[in-house]
Amino acid sequence: MRSDAVFKGTQQAPHRSLFNALGLTEEEMNRPLIGIVSSYNEIVPGHMNIDKLVEAVKLGVAMAGGTPRVFPAIAVCDGIAMGHTGMKYSLVTRDLIADSTECMALAHQFDGLVMIPNCDKNVPGLLMAAARVNIPTIFVSGGPMLAGKVAGCKTSLSSMFEAVGAYAAGKITEEQLKEYEAKTCPTCGSCSGMYTANSMNCLTEALGMGLRGNGTIPAVYSERIKLAKHAGMQIMELVKKDIKPRDIMTEKAFMNALTVDMALGCSTNSMLHLPAIAREAGVELNVDIANEISARTPNLCHLAPAGHTYIEELNEAGGVYAVMNELNKKNLLNTDVLTVTGKTMAENIEGCENMNTDVIRPIDNPYSTTGGIAVLKGNLAPDSCVVKRSAVVPEMMVHEGPARVFDCEEDAIAAIKGGKIVAGDVVVIRYEGPKGGPGMREMLNPTSAIAGMGLGSSVALITDGRFSGASRGASIGHVCPEAAVGGPIALVEEGDLIKINIPENKLELAVSDEELAARKAKWQPREPKVTTGYLARYAKMVSDSCKGAVLEK
């Protein structure tokens, strides 16, 4: 056992004395040592229930003969961080979480780990850590929030942000806005649509790193406490059989995750996180393969913000396993892969039927024959950019319009709310990429303002930053190369014609190569926005978004 390095032998007497200080008995020191990574805190709604799940996991571990010890992981609430300097500190925490978890796991020689994340960056951050540390590991998330209800209609966080835009446009009253504020987020949990947190929790099941229901059982259901107990018990089986993350997170498993991503219509942030996790697992995952997988994978779900169903309804319909069972009817998955259940994916999804064909479309009657995410290329994004195709209205799938150029998010929001953006415009927000931001902020405020003001079916938004999973519409992010390194997005001028063709995976700036070369010759790098602290170090080390915005080795 790995924990022999701290438990066994006369040389470890000083170590045992410190475990005695913790109150551990001799019996506990003769059992496998299991680290429980808890992202509980009192500032993130998705994490306020995790203390209950930690206790359930601890009980499960002890019931199965292990010694559980808890240590923390940080987490940022993207919703609270949105629209101000705090959003610069969201994506960057993914690497802090992976690094600090690696330090704790290896410093204390745990035999196995149970990861309990829930929100946008600590799910992929802990998956990265799991792949890097590579000791037996299982995931159990905090679970999704229940949908809110306003005026008889279900709502989620995207509804709240769009209500702000509707109020700015005079479409709702201040009293109605306050009703949204009071009722949109009714419980703890990760926000109730297919946003980034729920996307990554669902994809944890598809990767084989979480038990059935990990991505969909609501946070407030007692069933999630049972899931946590089972996860605690199952880690002991993984330790006994020495089944490690890299045995599970293989290239085939990542292909499965991308396929399920397309079927569910997950957040575009998955195109940042999956390559980053794969890299830690020793798997090269180029975002270009997304279009190849999308071409053969039907989009089966239109969860908020793409539609009017929520994670709780996906759970009732059979969850991620039911989606995978639908996909397997056309042999779209690698079902021979190993999972944390100790069984193959084929064994896991057998008999997992679709209980609601309005929530999970049958494989022969999809929302579209192609997947929910598209990677575009062209002279405006030579390396790539990403759009959540399933959340784009039909009339915006092909669009041409004049560029309205802004060098930061705040200036764009002021123009949108000031009525300066009109139907047909293409809003360009640049110098918000991984290096330029720094930190690659999400653009939920401008996309929500566009939607709330009734421009969602006539205005596109393009950025080298990224979008919240709550964004909808023709929101094209991750433009690469970014403006800060002189990418073509830095050369766009006010009024330039931009051509978007999502079905053909194209994004073009209607400017000649000669003119672009002349602009490039005049372009000068901007002074860094941040020169001290972690963000300054991050900006120097971070890779392009098309490589997962990872810290370069």
Side-chain angles (χ1 to χ4, degrees), residues 146 230 258 292 323 331 400 408 433:
L146 293 177
H230 283 131
L258 277 170
E292 181 183 327
V323 174
N331 300 313
E400 294 184 9
C408 66

Short mmCIF file of all heavy atoms in Angstrom, two decimals, residues 146 230 258 292 323 331 400 408 433:
data_model
loop_
_atom_site.label_atom_id
_atom_site.label_comp_id
_atom_site.label_asym_id
_atom_site.label_seq_id
_atom_site.Cartn_x
_atom_site.Cartn_y
_atom_site.Cartn_z
N LEU A 146 -32.12 22.78 -8.32
CA LEU A 146 -33.44 22.67 -8.94
C LEU A 146 -33.74 23.97 -9.69
O LEU A 146 -33.26 25.05 -9.32
CB LEU A 146 -34.51 22.43 -7.88
CG LEU A 146 -34.46 21.09 -7.13
CD1 LEU A 146 -35.56 21.05 -6.08
CD2 LEU A 146 -34.59 19.92 -8.09
N HIS A 230 -22.09 5.32 -1.61
CA HIS A 230 -21.64 4.29 -2.56
C HIS A 230 -20.26 4.63 -3.13
O HIS A 230 -19.44 3.73 -3.35
CB HIS A 230 -22.66 4.12 -3.68
CG HIS A 230 -23.87 3.35 -3.27
ND1 HIS A 230 -25.17 3.77 -3.50
CD2 HIS A 230 -23.99 2.16 -2.62
CE1 HIS A 230 -26.02 2.89 -3.03
NE2 HIS A 230 -25.33 1.90 -2.48
N LEU A 258 -16.45 13.26 -25.67
CA LEU A 258 -16.77 14.20 -26.74
C LEU A 258 -18.09 13.84 -27.42
O LEU A 258 -18.88 14.73 -27.77
CB LEU A 258 -15.64 14.24 -27.77
CG LEU A 258 -14.45 15.14 -27.45
CD1 LEU A 258 -13.32 14.89 -28.44
CD2 LEU A 258 -14.85 16.62 -27.46
N GLU A 292 -15.38 16.26 -36.44
CA GLU A 292 -15.50 14.89 -36.94
C GLU A 292 -16.50 14.09 -36.11
O GLU A 292 -17.35 13.37 -36.64
CB GLU A 292 -14.12 14.22 -36.89
CG GLU A 292 -14.10 12.80 -37.40
CD GLU A 292 -12.73 12.16 -37.26
OE1 GLU A 292 -11.71 12.88 -37.38
OE2 GLU A 292 -12.67 10.94 -37.01
N VAL A 323 -28.82 8.62 -22.10
CA VAL A 323 -28.31 9.27 -23.31
C VAL A 323 -27.29 8.36 -23.99
O VAL A 323 -27.32 8.15 -25.21
CB VAL A 323 -27.69 10.64 -22.98
CG1 VAL A 323 -27.02 11.24 -24.22
CG2 VAL A 323 -28.75 11.60 -22.45
N ASN A 331 -24.05 2.44 -32.27
CA ASN A 331 -22.64 2.09 -32.07
C ASN A 331 -21.72 3.31 -32.11
O ASN A 331 -20.63 3.27 -32.70
CB ASN A 331 -22.20 1.06 -33.11
CG ASN A 331 -23.00 -0.23 -33.04
OD1 ASN A 331 -23.20 -0.77 -31.96
ND2 ASN A 331 -23.48 -0.69 -34.18
N GLU A 400 -24.00 37.54 -41.94
CA GLU A 400 -22.98 38.52 -42.31
C GLU A 400 -23.36 39.85 -41.70
O GLU A 400 -24.54 40.23 -41.69
CB GLU A 400 -22.91 38.68 -43.84
CG GLU A 400 -22.42 37.45 -44.57
CD GLU A 400 -22.28 37.71 -46.07
OE1 GLU A 400 -22.40 38.89 -46.48
OE2 GLU A 400 -22.05 36.75 -46.82
N CYS A 408 -12.47 45.52 -24.64
CA CYS A 408 -12.71 44.89 -23.34
C CYS A 408 -14.21 44.65 -23.20
O CYS A 408 -15.03 45.27 -23.90
CB CYS A 408 -12.19 45.73 -22.18
SG CYS A 408 -13.04 47.31 -21.96
N GLY A 433 -8.44 37.11 -24.02
CA GLY A 433 -8.01 35.72 -24.08
C GLY A 433 -7.24 35.29 -22.85
O GLY A 433 -7.12 36.04 -21.87
#
